[in-house]
Amino acid sequence: LFALGALSAYSFHLLGRICHENGATTLGEAWEKEVGKNTSWIIALSCFTVAFGSAITYSILLGDAFSSIAIAAGLTGFWATRQASILVT
């Protein structure tokens, strides 16, 4: 876990350094200056994919937890299912 945190911190450091060296304020700007404007959509798509995947993962995690809580609270039927909990979150 510590190694992954260190790699993440180093990656963010490198991104900051690249932005600083290029005079860019965003990762997309730095990409355009380093690689080219034709492929800058890759950065936007990557950021969207990470955020979307995180939101889905969060919903599934909460859905699993809430379905267990619903069963423990005495709910039955559809509202005690994992699917209902995921839909609500």
Side-chain angles (χ1 to χ4, degrees), residues 63-64 67 78 80-89:
D64 285 343
S67 64
F78 176 73
T81 65
R82 180 176 182 252
Q83 291 82 6
S85 297
I86 290 172
L87 286 173
V88 169
T89 59

Side-chain angles (χ1 to χ4, degrees), residues 9-62:
Y10 182 67
S11 296
F12 278 109
H13 168 74
L14 288 178
L15 289 173
R17 196 166 104 194
I18 289 169
C19 286
H20 179 72
E21 288 175 0
N22 286 309
T25 56
T26 65
L27 181 56
E29 260 183 65
W31 181 277
E32 286 178 8
K33 291 178 180 182
E34 286 289 325
V35 179
K37 203 167 193 160
N38 293 341
T39 58
S40 63
W41 60 270
I42 294 172
I43 295 301
L45 180 65
S46 297
C47 290
F48 171 78
T49 304
V50 167
F52 184 73
S54 297
I56 294 294
T57 303
Y58 183 70
S59 290
I60 291 170
L61 181 71
L62 284 179

